[in-house]
Amino acid sequence: MKRIYNCLILSFLLLPGLPALSQKNVVGTPARIVTQFAFEQFSGGIAVIRARLNNYPDSLNFILDTGSGGISLDSTTVVELNIPTKPSDRTIRGIAGVRRVNFLYNATLHLPGLSVDSLDFHINDYEILSSVYGVKIDGIIGLSFFSRYIVNINYDDFLITVYSKGEFKYKKGGYILKPILTSIPIVQSRFRDRAKFDSRFYFDSGAGLCFLLSENFAHDSLVISPKKKMFLTQAEGLGGKTEMSVTTVKEVRIGPYKFKNVPTYIFEDAYNITAYPYLAGLIGNDLLRRFNVTLNYAKKEIHLIPNTHFYSPFDYAYTGLGIYTVEGKIKVEDVIADSPAEKAGFKVGDIVVSVGTDFSNNIQTYKNILQSSTQKHKVIINRSDELIILTLKPDSIL
């Protein structure tokens, strides 16, 4: 389920001459189940799993992210566990910045029923992700894991099944995408607004939104009608927060599957992650979660089969309200000018006590409630130790 303030965690290491993935030890050998384990789904469809690192006893939270070209740890987790790391000259690049990173080399990740060794974790600051989801995010699992196995993500049962590489029989009733794959999967997709366009997109399970276009592509293609509603909003990604605009496009296709009136973000690609015009943007997990997905990197295949979420309604609500978990409290940190949040009287620094009749102090629950653009929401906030009731009526981007 998408929200107006979304996380975009797409990142990849800037490495020279990155080779295509090998298909060694695949042909002729049947794939077998290695392990199965549950995952938790956060807003935007993001999948989070629990795992341990090396011999540290603490269980850590990792986001499964096809938009990550490696594997990483949060810098505060490294400090808390006193994990030794080494500096490097390598950088990672994401939607909101470029950073030089330290590494933890030759580490082992202990998943339920599976230990994955010889992993090189780059270190990054994921404080913004922890504040968005209301739980500590300790790292992101990407290419370094997906390239070693066949991985099925079942969004119906919240279950991940890991298979060994080999000959694999997909379930009937689905479709096989053939992505370009060096570090992050790139798929061909058709979408339509003023006209039909075919272009390439990142296949990004770490992006908690539906569809995203670079500003350069949107401008040069004239894909968005100038009469279309456009709302200023914000997303969180590598490097911090970044402003975007949000609207809808009439149709997005993934393989043979069509989605109508899809919420779409337009962003200034300041760090050239799409290498425009090579890519137009990305397809995020609020679309991808509508399938049960099998990632077979060795074969350069992604199998999609529609699940029970396929026809789930999209979130068209716009509030302009940015709330984050800070020291156990849910605080207002951003209020977009002339937005429903500003008109309702929200101010930066307000502490959210309840939304509607919910006093859970659960940021994901609050955001889900505010996804309705058809009703007004009573929100109790604490401002300078005074309780105030505000009425928030989201706009619709449709």
Side-chain angles (χ1 to χ4, degrees), residues 12 17 27 47 49 78 103 160 177 198 216 330 337 346 358-359 362 398:
F12 50 96
V27 178
I49 65 170
V78 167
F103 271 82
I160 291 170
L177 300 175
D198 290 286
N216 285 338
I330 299 175
F346 286 92
D358 193 292
F359 288 79
N362 185 308
L398 186 59

Side-chain angles (χ1 to χ4, degrees), residues 43 67 135 226 261 268 290 304 352:
S43 52
V135 299
N261 297 320
E268 181 183 0
R290 298 161 193 267
L304 305 177
V352 179

Side-chain angles (χ1 to χ4, degrees), residues 303-318:
H303 182 259
L304 305 177
I305 186 165
N307 62 27
T308 57
H309 310 291
F310 188 80
Y311 294 106
S312 295
F314 292 116
D315 169 26
Y316 298 115
Y318 172 76

